[in-house]
Amino acid sequence: MKKINKKLPKNPIKNDLTKNILTIILLFIFMSALFSIADISKEKPTEISMSQLVQQVDEEKVKEILVREDKVEITLNDENNTKETLLKGGITSLEDELINVHKLPQEKVYKANILNKDKTPTEKFLTAFGPYILMFLLIGFLLWMMLGQAQKQNSQAMSFGRSTARFLKPGEKKKKTTFKDVAGVKEAKEELFEIVDFLKNPKKFLDLGARIPRGVLLLGPPGTGKTLLAKAVSGEADVPFFNISGSEFVEMFVGVGASRVRDLFKTAKKNAPSILFIDEIDAVGRHRGAGLGGGHDEREQTLNQILVEMDGFDTETNVIVMAATNRPDVLDPALLRPGRFDRRIVLDLPDIKDREAILKVHAKGKPIEKDADLHKIAERTPGFSGAELFNLLNEAAILTAKRNKKIVGNKEILESIEKVILGPERQSNILLKREKEIAAYHEAGHALLGHLLENTDPIHKISIISRGRAAGYTLNLPTEDKHLHSKSEFVDNMAMLLGGYAAEKTIFNDLTTGASNDLMKASAIARELVTKYGMSEKIGPIVFGQHSETVFLGKEIHEQRNYSEKVASEIDHEVENFLNNALETAMNTIEKNKDKLEKIAKKLVEVESIEKEEFEDLMK
């Protein structure tokens, strides 16, 4: 067995105090060293005897004599004003000593300019007790630093269980967000208007026996505007808004999350009516019982506290809890029951009208040329979320600045779409002549199938310029947003995906690795047709593969086989049939339209990119 050494965690308070003490000691040593160096470098005056002083006064070499209590300081009358000292000894009056004892003329003694300077009581006190006072002050400062640091650590420890939610006060116009700032999501805004009405006029509903909704859960893919809608509700209702992320509750210490939940709800109730918004609630709201710790897990204690606060013993509250998640499937059932999250509002990806409206909102503040067609941009961006549309216009503005232009043009916006979808152009990734020709025929095969097959989307652009990980690409986009897809669409899309594979095989009688991603996508569609959508005529309307949710050390979703080996063989055979039929369609179409394929490929080799209008002219 391996020996496991467990180190105890270091005490942060002790470490900080040790650091402070060492810093102060080092600072004291440094200052002492500086003063010592300054004292050494300073020239000390020469000490002379009384007879030497008498001679200098007699020769009128003394400029000034300063008499102190313990010594005499002499300044000579030369160019350098040389300093000398004389120990006073038992002399009471230097002037009398020079005149009466040493018999010097009075005129010469007066010329020496003798000044008496005795210490004041304050100077005497500081001389006697100054060092002791300085020492006590230094010790006091050290103790104050140590106590302050300890108090700071204690206050941090005491506030560890307090909520870290951001608070937005009502009436702050600069930070205020309203429904006007949120484009699209019409149905979601209508649902949330009721919440705003509840907060503004609660009496109207309470008189009819209606209870204010306890919680509102916003569901939708990332970037669809869940957080923005929550801010808009607080702006419309003009009530206090508390914003916190689900991950901010969970800490390494058990009980901290639950304590923060209690503190957050307590603060929100004090400011009622108010809105409490928990972003990414799935961080704490997952199914309970996940993990070896059972119900003692920190995340589960936090979730339990949220459940109690939302609909526990205290049922009288005017706090509306709003939460957002893009994974409603992992949330605990107790969190979703009525009385907790009464409303579930689904935010889908915007359709073409909503995308155009979102683009108009994000275009504010950007100098976009008048000829820019936002409707065309909306057509080219199916499946884009609001965040991706914002990123699109931001990339277009960056591209315009790089080109030293002052106005964002239609060209920059269209280029940014490709950058967002596929990545930036890889201009350094230059294909060899042979590779360029293969890529041109490959993309021409996709485009030809996409144009000729009935149930595929229109071709918008073909390019053999490397972007991201793709050596080339064919951009086909729907003219309208679709919610249902037919079997014929899937079959034609598989044939289009295999168009590049078929073109390489037909023209070069060889295959390359360039079709690997196309084969992966086509295989996935074929398997879903058989196992998920029941579109296989031989096997029939059966769904294969049971998606079970296993809770162990976290939530894990996997597919469990609920069919025999014989059925698995039949599924594989049907998937193979779908792919072979798609390949046959692609090969036949390319054989019949080889001249058009050659035309597209040669044009691609020449210009590298073909737009929609030019492609349609070639097809005529």
Side-chain angles (χ1 to χ4, degrees):
M1 292 179 68
K2 290 183 180 180
K3 189 177 179 181
I4 300 172
N5 293 322
K6 292 187 177 180
K7 293 184 178 180
L8 292 172
K10 294 181 180 179
N11 188 344
I13 299 176
K14 187 177 179 182
N15 289 341
D16 288 339
L17 291 177
T18 306
K19 285 179 184 178
N20 286 333
I21 292 170
L22 288 173
T23 304
I24 291 170
I25 291 171
L26 289 172
L27 184 64
F28 183 73
I29 293 169
F30 178 71
M31 293 296 292
S32 301
L34 278 180
F35 282 123
S36 299
I37 292 168
D39 191 53
I40 291 168
S41 61
K42 188 178 177 182
E43 290 186 11
K44 291 186 177 180
T46 307
E47 190 173 326
I48 61 173
S49 62
M50 188 65 187
S51 58
Q52 289 175 308
L53 176 61
V54 170
Q55 185 180 352
Q56 288 173 350
V57 172
D58 188 38
E59 293 174 358
E60 297 183 359
K61 292 181 179 180
V62 177
K63 182 180 180 181
E64 185 182 74
I65 299 175
L66 187 62
V67 181
R68 297 187 181 274
E69 288 186 353
D70 54 346
K71 64 181 178 179
V72 177
E73 295 177 2
I74 303 150
T75 304
L76 297 181
N77 194 10
D78 56 8
E79 292 180 357
N80 299 323
N81 289 329
T82 307
K83 303 286 184 180
E84 295 177 341
T85 60
L86 169 70
L87 292 176
K88 195 174 178 183
I91 300 171
T92 54
S93 174
L94 182 62
E95 191 174 330
D96 292 341
E97 182 80 13
L98 292 172
I99 296 172
N100 297 325
V101 177
H102 295 284
K103 306 300 181 182
L104 288 176
Q106 288 185 0
E107 294 81 9
K108 290 184 178 181
V109 173
Y110 293 152
K111 257 187 183 180
N113 196 16
I114 299 173
L115 301 172
N116 291 299
K117 190 173 182 182
D118 295 330
K119 290 184 179 179
T120 62
T122 305
E123 289 177 338
K124 290 179 181 179
F125 177 79
L126 289 175
T127 303
F129 299 102
Y132 301 103
I133 293 171
L134 186 62
M135 183 180 66
F136 280 117
L137 286 175
L138 185 61
I139 294 170
F141 177 72
L142 180 63
L143 290 172
W144 177 77
M145 288 283 290
M146 292 168 63
L147 292 172
Q149 191 67 38
Q151 188 176 5
K152 183 181 177 182
Q153 294 290 343
N154 288 333
S155 65
Q156 287 180 356
M158 293 299 291
S159 63
F160 201 60
R162 290 185 182 175
S163 165
T164 56
R166 274 77 61 192
F167 176 49
L168 187 63
K169 295 179 182 179
E172 292 186 7
K173 293 183 179 180
K174 290 183 180 179
K175 298 180 182 179
K176 192 173 182 179
T177 305
T178 63
F179 287 137
K180 290 180 181 179
D181 302 313
V182 185
V185 292
K186 184 180 177 183
E187 294 80 7
K189 285 195 281 189
E190 286 177 359
E191 284 283 328
L192 292 170
F193 262 123
E194 293 182 16
I195 306 299
V196 174
D197 204 7
F198 264 119
L199 291 167
K200 283 186 173 180
N201 307 301
K203 191 174 183 300
K204 179 173 71 173
F205 296 93
L206 294 173
D207 290 344
L208 296 170
R211 193 185 73 170
I212 190 167
R214 194 58 55 88
V216 179
L217 186 63
L218 302 172
L219 311 171
T224 48
K226 300 183 290 292
T227 306
L228 188 64
L229 265 178
K231 288 183 180 178
V233 172
S234 73
E236 291 285 344
D238 203 27
V239 295
F241 181 72
F242 297 88
N243 177 21
I244 194 169
S245 171
S247 61
E248 292 180 55
F249 290 117
V250 182
E251 288 284 353
M252 62 180 290
F253 301 110
V254 176
V256 172
S259 175
R260 288 182 177 177
V261 171
R262 286 192 294 271
D263 184 67
L264 177 59
F265 274 87
K266 183 180 177 182
T267 309
K269 286 173 186 175
K270 283 182 180 178
N271 293 275
S274 59
I275 294 174
L276 197 161
F277 178 60
I278 305 173
D279 202 3
E280 304 295 344
I281 195 172
D282 51 276
V284 290
R286 288 172 175 250
H287 279 264
R288 285 170 290 178
L292 298 174
H296 298 287
D297 179 56
E298 163 64 4
R299 180 179 52 76
E300 293 188 7
Q301 288 200 22
T302 306
L303 174 59
N304 290 338
Q305 191 62 45
I306 291 173
L307 296 175
V308 171
E309 293 288 347
M310 287 191 71
D311 190 22
F313 291 103
D314 184 14
T315 56
E316 297 297 325
T317 179
N318 283 334
V319 176
I320 292 180
V321 181
M322 296 186 72
T325 182
N326 51 18
R327 297 199 58 194
D329 54 306
V330 302
L331 294 180
D332 193 277
L335 199 62
L336 301 175
R337 74 159 176 83
R340 291 200 172 110
F341 282 105
D342 303 277
R343 302 287 179 91
R344 296 179 205 174
I345 298 173
V346 179
L347 279 74
D348 292 318
L349 291 170
D351 58 19
I352 186 168
K353 290 182 180 178
D354 287 346
R355 288 198 298 274
E356 188 176 354
I358 292 168
L359 285 168
K360 286 178 180 177
V361 170
H362 292 316
K364 291 177 181 176
K366 292 182 176 67
I368 295 178
E369 66 179 20
K370 295 179 181 178
D371 297 336
D373 189 356
L374 293 181
H375 182 76
K376 186 179 179 181
I377 306 302
E379 282 182 349
R380 280 211 178 188
T381 51
F384 272 49
S385 66
E388 287 172 321
L389 292 170
F390 168 78
N391 188 41
L392 166 64
L393 290 182
N394 188 56
E395 289 289 346
I398 292 170
L399 186 60
T400 305
K402 283 173 68 177
R403 292 176 177 174
N404 296 318
K405 292 183 179 180
K406 300 295 182 183
I407 299 175
V408 181
N410 213 50
K411 184 181 177 182
E412 283 75 26
I413 299 175
L414 291 174
E415 283 185 39
S416 298
I417 294 174
E418 295 167 34
K419 185 177 181 181
V420 171
I421 295 174
L422 298 166
E425 283 189 11
R426 295 168 62 197
Q427 295 176 353
S428 59
N429 188 29
I430 301 170
L431 298 175
L432 300 173
K433 186 179 179 182
R434 174 70 172 171
E435 290 177 335
K436 191 174 183 180
E437 192 177 355
I438 293 171
Y441 276 100
H442 183 100
E443 297 305 328
H446 287 311
L448 184 65
L449 268 293
H451 180 76
L452 295 175
L453 295 178
E454 187 179 350
N455 299 296
T456 53
D457 297 321
I459 304 298
H460 280 257
K461 187 174 182 178
I462 319 161
S463 177
I464 55 171
I465 299 172
S466 296
R467 276 187 178 273
R469 303 176 105 183
Y473 58 94
T474 301
L475 196 64
N476 65 317
L477 301 169
T479 52
E480 55 188 12
D481 293 292
K482 297 177 182 178
H483 301 287
L484 297 173
H485 300 276
S486 63
K487 180 182 175 181
S488 56
E489 284 180 43
F490 287 122
V491 169
D492 284 357
N493 278 324
M494 278 192 294
M496 182 187 168
L497 285 166
L498 295 175
Y501 180 94
E504 288 184 25
K505 195 171 184 179
T506 303
I507 302 298
F508 302 102
N509 198 27
D510 197 5
L511 296 170
T512 67
T513 56
S516 59
N517 190 46
D518 300 328
L519 293 172
M520 194 185 302
K521 289 179 180 177
S523 301
I525 292 172
R527 189 162 292 277
E528 285 184 341
L529 286 174
V530 178
T531 62
K532 189 175 180 181
Y533 303 129
M535 292 181 178
S536 168
E537 293 180 4
K538 184 179 179 181
I539 294 179
I542 306 173
V543 175
F544 296 99
Q546 183 179 354
H547 292 271
S548 62
E549 297 177 352
T550 304
V551 181
F552 179 75
L553 294 177
K555 187 163 181 63
E556 182 183 325
I557 303 173
H558 67 274
E559 183 181 279
Q560 186 178 3
R561 283 181 61 169
N562 57 356
Y563 47 90
S564 65
E565 290 296 330
K566 182 183 176 182
V567 175
S569 177
E570 290 179 3
I571 290 170
D572 291 341
H573 184 67
E574 278 299 286
V575 170
E576 186 181 347
N577 283 341
F578 272 119
L579 290 171
N580 285 336
N581 291 336
L583 181 60
E584 186 180 350
T585 302
M587 294 289 287
N588 291 336
T589 306
I590 285 172
E591 284 290 347
K592 290 176 184 178
N593 299 275
K594 216 175 202 180
D595 56 333
K596 292 182 179 179
L597 181 76
E598 294 278 356
K599 196 185 293 186
I600 299 166
K602 286 177 180 177
K603 189 70 176 177
L604 270 176
V605 172
E606 182 186 341
V607 298
E608 293 188 333
S609 292
I610 302 174
E611 290 289 343
K612 181 181 179 182
E613 294 77 11
E614 192 176 0
F615 173 71
E616 288 176 352
D617 289 339
L618 285 172
M619 289 296 96
K620 287 177 184 178

